[in-house]
Amino acid sequence: MPRFSGNTVIITGSSNGIGRSAALLFAQDGANVTITGRNTERLEETRQLILKSGVSESHLNSVVADVTTSDGQDLLVKSTLDKFGKIHILVNNAGAAIPDPNGVFGTDQGVDIYHKTMHLNLQAVIEMTRKVKPHLMETKGEIVNVSSIVAGPQASPKSIYYATAKAALEQYTRSTAIDLIQHGIRVNLVRPGIVETGFMTAMGMPDEGAKKCYNFLADRKECIPVGVAGKPEDIANIILFLADRKLSSYIIGQSIVADGGSTLVMGMQSHNMMDIFKS
Ligand code: NDP
């Protein structure tokens, strides 16, 4: 029997990237899946991808919703319960580094950008967790949050608010994990490095610019030691692992880093000390 057979999963941000890949893997592994995002066309692409992989329509619930709105969150929960009856797994994946329309970065970014960034990357997770909690208490379910290596401990001066939101999400994950384990709910987190998705396009970068950027980073061992940008399934597989109680039951409130080695590299290591001595 497929390992998630009879389980129902809500995956926010599944109209693209990591969430889309996780939705496909969960559905192929027997789960009922609620897929969602704001973009109708991209969400339909996810739906078609899953259907074409042989999954029956009866295992899919496709919901166009903005996860930062209370109505959108309620719709996600209600439509999932209406179609599948229960919720076993919540994947809080939707997220983005929201660019400042004035093209500025760091401390020059406006406070409105701070609010939008925190709303999507942190508050929406908090609200979804609160709304799904009673249903996960019933099923002794799982929550998997998606953070980023920008959470630290290294600095992220170009995207301060995004990094701040993800760092807060990590503390929220640890604390909710301990709060909710008394109800049988496990909470964990995956922390991706550079992954080829729609992330940069969502920041306003054209597709070819994004590709150039992934290649640039992959070509430099001080950026991505493994020499290649991550694929959505590299992260999606970890999400499934953390949602699979048979495999990961003793992991509580932890974060798994998947970054091709990026966060293990220190700037000074990119220079050869012997060359400096000799010069
Ligand atoms: P994508 O841009 O490919 O996917 C982001 C998803 O989030 C889309 O489905 C998008 O849907 C959805 N989303 C964004 N805003 C909203 C909103 N207000 N309401 C509902 N859905 C929303 O990026 P990734 O797959 O890369 O991002 C997934 C997660 O991974 C994010 O949390 C991101 O921070 C994290 N991450 C990504 C990294 C990377 O290098 N790609 C690195 C580290 C972390 P739509 O546009 O249809 O609303």
Side-chain angles (χ1 to χ4, degrees):
M1 191 157 50
R3 62 173 162 157
F4 291 106
S5 208
N7 284 3
T8 294
V9 193
I10 298 176
I11 307 167
T12 68
S14 36
S15 57
N16 211 351
I18 293 167
R20 172 182 284 169
S21 178
L24 177 64
L25 294 183
F26 271 118
Q28 287 178 326
D29 232 333
N32 299 317
V33 181
T34 289
I35 55 171
T36 182
R38 295 160 304 174
N39 186 296
T40 315
E41 281 167 30
R42 281 201 297 264
L43 187 60
E44 182 57 20
E45 276 176 42
T46 301
R47 198 177 80 90
Q48 288 303 332
L49 182 75
I50 295 172
L51 293 176
K52 278 182 195 141
S53 80
V55 171
S56 145
E57 181 95 54
S58 63
H59 289 280
L60 266 184
N61 177 39
S62 182
V63 184
V64 176
D66 183 335
V67 77
T68 62
T69 66
S70 190
D71 286 352
Q73 296 157 5
D74 291 342
L75 182 63
L76 278 176
V77 176
K78 185 176 182 311
S79 68
T80 303
L81 291 171
D82 286 350
K83 180 143 184 178
F84 303 126
K86 286 181 189 270
I87 303 171
H88 302 81
I89 299 163
L90 169 65
V91 181
N92 286 309
N93 164 74
I98 296 170
D100 191 303
N102 300 317
V104 293
F105 295 95
T107 46
D108 290 331
Q109 290 198 330
V111 171
D112 54 327
I113 301 300
Y114 161 79
H115 284 301
K116 282 185 189 156
T117 307
M118 293 300 272
H119 199 163
L120 173 61
N121 293 284
L122 181 66
Q123 187 176 325
V125 176
I126 294 172
E127 288 167 334
M128 281 302 292
T129 301
R130 285 171 49 78
K131 288 177 182 180
V132 175
K133 175 181 164 184
H135 309 290
L136 294 179
M137 282 170 69
E138 245 179 66
T139 55
K140 310 278 180 238
E142 327 285 336
I143 298 177
V144 182
N145 295 329
V146 179
S147 178
S148 165
I149 55 169
V150 301
Q154 298 82 1
S156 284
K158 287 278 184 271
S159 52
I160 294 177
Y161 303 147
Y162 175 63
T164 301
K166 291 298 195 185
L169 174 65
E170 299 212 356
Q171 180 55 258
Y172 178 74
T173 300
R174 284 189 289 274
S175 301
T176 48
I178 296 307
D179 184 48
L180 295 180
I181 197 61
Q182 63 188 312
H183 303 296
I185 303 171
R186 272 189 330 132
V187 189
N188 282 295
L189 173 145
V190 58
R191 192 197 271 191
I194 296 294
V195 185
E196 262 190 73
T197 64
F199 187 84
M200 290 197 194
T201 330
M203 290 174 72
M205 198 180 278
D207 280 348
E208 74 235 40
K211 186 79 204 159
K212 209 165 138 188
C213 197
Y214 293 127
N215 290 341
F216 179 95
L217 297 171
D219 284 346
R220 284 162 177 80
K221 64 180 183 332
E222 72 275 21
C223 298
I224 309 179
V226 76
V228 63
K231 297 272 175 278
E233 55 270 28
D234 293 327
I235 309 304
N237 275 310
I238 299 168
I239 293 174
L240 267 76
F241 167 71
L242 290 173
D244 184 341
R245 197 160 287 213
K246 280 202 187 114
L247 294 182
S248 60
S249 66
Y250 213 50
I251 304 180
I252 308 290
Q254 294 300 316
S255 83
I256 295 186
V257 179
D259 68 351
S262 295
T263 48
L264 292 184
V265 186
M266 285 192 288
M268 67 174 95
Q269 290 168 344
S270 60
H271 301 282
N272 187 332
M273 294 300 163
M274 295 317 287
D275 291 345
I276 300 169
F277 291 145
K278 281 183 217 151
S279 63

